[in-house]
Amino acid sequence: MAAGEVTGGAARIRVRVPVGADAERWVTRVGCRRVLFIVHNVTSATRLLDVLPLFSGDLRVQMFATCTGSSPFLAGVPELLARAGLPVLPWEQAKETPFDLAVSASYGGELAAVQGKLAVLSHGVGYNKRLATPDNTGQHRTTPVFGLSPDWLLADGRPLADATVLSHPEQLDRLHTACPEAAPTAVLAGDPCYDRILAALPQRARYRRALGVGPGQRLIVVSSTWAARSLFGGAAEPAADDLLPWLLSRHSAELPADEYRTVAVLHPNIWYGHGPGQVRAWLDNARRAGLDTIGPLDGWRQALIAADCVLGDHSSVTYYAASLGIPVLLGAFPQQDLDPLSPVAALGRTAPRLVRRGSLRAQIEDAVTAHDPARYKELAEQTSSAPGESAALLRRLFYGLMDLPEPDGHPALLDPLPLPPYLPARRTAPVRVLTGGIGTDPPAVGVVRYSVVGAGPDPADTPDLRCDSAHTVVDEETRESGRLRIADVVVRYAAGDDPRLGPPAAWTAEALDRYPYCGLVAYVDGPDRCVVRTRAGGLVRLTAAAGPDGRADLCDPAAYASALYAWLTSGRDLAGAVPAITVHTGGAAHRVTVEPLDREAP
């Protein structure tokens, strides 16, 4: 694919406004300094989006974007450039056009051909990885560290960039050793990605709620960089150490649905190298069991802030997690792919490993309970030598390269991380529900739920609950539609006023007719409530009491329906559960009001 083709048909046409042979006839703002953002792939573009706001509000600056077309990972770039809303120049036109400043977050392509001062940022947490490149025999050799070696930093023996942006002096020390010719271009300017994370730390509780993490739940983030020896790649040595199939299967078999919330943060090169549809297909069983994927552009930093534990590898995401004091377990860590002097390599020598032996849940719990937040203090200090200051440092650098005074009276600011949309876990695989600890004074039921993908858990393997009975709950939108005929409880998630299904009273009556072997049906019409109808005909609203702060309980209301089902099948009547029943999930207790909605109910 040629460089000019990566952004669609429009990008193959040379831009005439605000640059071009006769641009002066058409522009509205004249005399603007030109700033070019050079995109290689989605990964590097996300770092450029971090610094885009540094030029906001300046009427003297006109920004542009281009794509070198040199990366093998070009999918997703057109959509991202369209989202930025900047004029997109074909790479050939970009090379021919003079700029006052060009900013890149990666090497590759003909950067030496750019006409203007060039600043190069890291697109991850510093410079750590070695890359294998073909030599003149066609064989692969391992190069020095990407971004710190002459292979990338020099053109015709001279520094390629006017400014090589580093986030910490330890990178400068390695640069002096690896490529002393480029050392004079080094500028310490912090890490804008890390600064956005630090600024958002007070929003942790909101991010957790956005991800549907309820009281007593742990949020587990599965993080993977790209390439064969990553956690997602699984090409470990020996190959039998590929943890991904084991991890995905144990996720549903070992982690109770109401005690753990799991999301995956995957490198953009995984998404765009293999295709989003293929990635989702690979993860299908885990996704139906409740694992959600965080998109490659937005949300991963918020998920990281919200996490209780990160299962990762040698990715920047895992390193950022350790820097924040979050417990990490390393499922893959190819030391041969890293500079042994880098902080990321040091993380691999420090953090505990996730292993196939034993229980996934036990390893997570051990990592969380035994974690000392100061364990990675030294690594955190090497993430940035100027935490919170990158905006000011980078803007000073950029405007200095343009020989333009910084905007007067406008501080340099980065965009805050947005609040993600509400994304509760959704399990369309059958759910095996173990119940026990039923009490009558006051009414109470203990519930432990597991998504069933393949063989379900043995109740005897659940030591934290005295299991008195078990039943199966199936989402009406399950792919395994045959299981609906034999489900004990059928559940539907929809708005109460959805004209296709509601009102809940109508759907529940129809569902009992449609599924004659189930004992109870539940219509979940809110984050903390549902309407259930029993086989005996009782129509009841179940609503969890709000927390002390007045916010809705985020436990899946289907758990409350299961508790009521267990109550009824234990020989107790509906009247005994009125006006409220306490539902225990792990260490959390949910007080659920039981409100009859029809005359026949008690």
Side-chain angles (χ1 to χ4, degrees):
M1 180 181 288
E5 296 176 343
V6 300
T7 54
R12 290 195 291 269
I13 302 173
R14 295 175 68 88
V15 172
R16 295 178 60 189
V17 183
V19 295
D22 56 350
E24 65 278 1
R25 294 178 55 195
W26 313 111
V27 295
T28 300
R29 294 287 304 176
V30 298
C32 291
R33 300 295 180 95
R34 298 172 178 173
V35 176
L36 177 68
F37 290 95
I38 302 174
V39 173
H40 294 79
N41 49 39
V42 168
T43 309
S44 66
T46 54
R47 182 54 56 95
L48 296 179
L49 291 177
D50 282 338
V51 302
L52 203 67
L54 298 181
F55 299 96
S56 295
D58 194 339
L59 298 174
R60 304 168 299 169
V61 172
Q62 167 70 61
M63 295 182 284
F64 301 82
T66 189
C67 179
T68 64
S70 58
S71 171
F73 302 101
L74 293 177
V77 171
E79 294 81 2
L80 187 143
L81 292 179
R83 168 178 162 177
L86 301 178
V88 179
L89 306 183
W91 178 235
E92 292 302 317
Q93 184 180 5
K95 291 189 296 182
E96 299 168 4
T97 304
F99 292 94
D100 297 283
L101 173 68
V103 184
S104 176
S106 186
Y107 293 91
E110 303 168 88
L111 294 183
V114 174
Q115 300 182 47
K117 296 294 182 67
L118 175 65
V120 179
L121 317 176
S122 165
H123 60 259
V125 57
Y127 300 90
N128 309 287
K129 293 182 180 180
R130 301 177 183 273
L131 290 186
T133 57
D135 59 21
N136 55 15
T137 68
Q139 301 297 311
H140 282 78
R141 62 184 178 87
T142 300
T143 71
V145 181
F146 177 70
L148 292 183
S149 72
D151 301 39
W152 308 102
L153 295 170
L154 303 181
D156 298 327
R158 293 177 296 181
L160 177 67
D162 296 279
T164 302
V165 179
L166 309 177
S167 60
H168 193 275
E170 68 83 17
Q171 297 161 24
L172 180 58
D173 293 340
R174 289 188 286 136
L175 178 62
H176 273 292
T177 301
C179 187
E181 301 92 335
T185 70
V187 178
L188 290 170
D191 182 334
C193 177
Y194 188 53
D195 283 355
R196 294 182 72 193
I197 293 173
L198 293 178
L201 289 178
Q203 306 299 320
R204 182 175 189 267
R206 292 182 179 178
Y207 296 153
R208 288 174 68 83
R209 291 186 65 82
L211 289 167
V213 181
Q217 276 191 308
R218 295 197 192 279
L219 175 63
I220 310 302
V221 173
V222 179
S223 166
S224 179
T225 189
W226 68 285
R229 286 194 285 262
S230 67
L231 176 58
F232 199 86
E237 297 176 1
D241 288 336
D242 180 4
L243 282 179
L244 188 63
W246 174 83
L247 175 60
L248 295 179
S249 65
R250 301 317 297 171
H251 154 258
S252 59
E254 287 193 42
L255 304 184
D258 301 304
E259 298 172 48
Y260 293 87
R261 173 81 169 102
T262 310
V263 298
V265 172
L266 305 179
H267 194 283
N269 288 356
I270 298 176
W271 284 102
Y272 294 114
H274 295 281
Q278 179 61 72
V279 173
R280 285 191 289 267
W282 280 331
L283 295 176
D284 181 67
N285 287 339
R287 291 173 64 235
R288 291 189 296 116
L291 176 141
D292 276 302
T293 53
I294 303 298
L297 297 180
D298 299 309
W300 69 265
R301 285 172 279 212
Q302 294 90 321
L304 199 62
I305 291 169
D308 292 296
C309 185
V310 172
L311 313 181
D313 54 14
H314 56 303
S315 71
S316 292
V317 175
T318 308
Y319 190 90
Y320 281 134
S323 298
L324 296 176
I326 297 170
V328 298
L329 282 169
L330 301 177
F333 210 91
Q335 288 282 4
Q336 67 270 36
D337 293 348
L338 299 166
D339 181 350
L341 300 178
S342 70
V344 172
L347 174 63
R349 296 188 292 267
T350 307
R353 299 300 177 101
L354 178 68
V355 295
R356 187 191 304 270
R357 299 183 302 276
S359 161
L360 170 63
R361 182 179 183 181
Q363 291 181 69
I364 291 174
E365 289 300 314
D366 287 346
V368 172
T369 56
H371 179 64
D372 178 0
R375 179 175 194 165
Y376 305 117
K377 182 176 182 294
E378 183 177 345
L379 297 181
E381 292 172 349
Q382 294 186 75
T383 306
S384 171
S385 60
E389 300 177 24
S390 66
L393 294 171
L394 286 170
R395 193 175 78 169
R396 185 182 309 155
L397 168 65
F398 293 157
Y399 277 80
L401 290 172
M402 292 192 290
D403 194 22
L404 181 67
E406 293 185 61
D408 219 7
H410 296 285
L413 300 171
L414 303 174
D415 282 343
L417 297 181
L419 184 64
Y422 181 52
L423 182 67
R426 177 73 182 277
R427 297 169 184 85
T428 58
V431 175
R432 190 65 172 163
V433 183
L434 312 178
T435 60
I438 298 178
T440 57
D441 188 20
V445 178
V447 173
V448 178
R449 303 186 306 149
Y450 294 89
S451 297
V452 180
V453 181
D458 185 336
D461 294 335
T462 309
D464 52 349
L465 176 75
R466 182 174 60 83
C467 179
D468 296 326
S469 64
H471 63 270
T472 299
V473 178
V474 181
D475 189 311
E476 194 178 34
E477 293 187 288
T478 186
R479 183 180 300 169
E480 299 172 68
S481 56
R483 299 292 295 272
L484 289 166
R485 296 193 299 271
I486 57 174
D488 299 298
V489 176
V490 173
V491 64
R492 162 66 76 166
Y493 294 80
D497 59 354
D498 188 331
R500 302 168 300 168
L501 301 164
W507 178 88
T508 54
E510 294 168 357
L512 283 177
D513 289 339
R514 189 178 302 118
Y515 311 113
Y517 298 107
C518 77
L520 181 147
V521 293
Y523 189 111
V524 178
D525 59 348
D528 58 351
R529 63 186 185 272
C530 62
V531 173
V532 303
R533 190 182 292 273
T534 69
R535 181 58 64 182
L539 184 68
V540 180
R541 161 73 70 183
L542 303 179
T543 306
D549 57 5
R551 292 189 171 97
D553 189 329
L554 295 185
C555 180
D556 180 4
Y560 311 146
S562 280
L564 184 61
Y565 178 81
W567 175 271
L568 296 174
T569 55
S570 69
R572 297 165 176 86
D573 60 20
L574 186 57
V578 176
I581 187 170
T582 299
V583 180
H584 295 278
T585 59
H590 315 271
R591 180 174 170 80
V592 179
T593 60
V594 182
E595 177 190 2
L597 296 180
D598 61 11
R599 295 178 181 176
E600 297 180 13

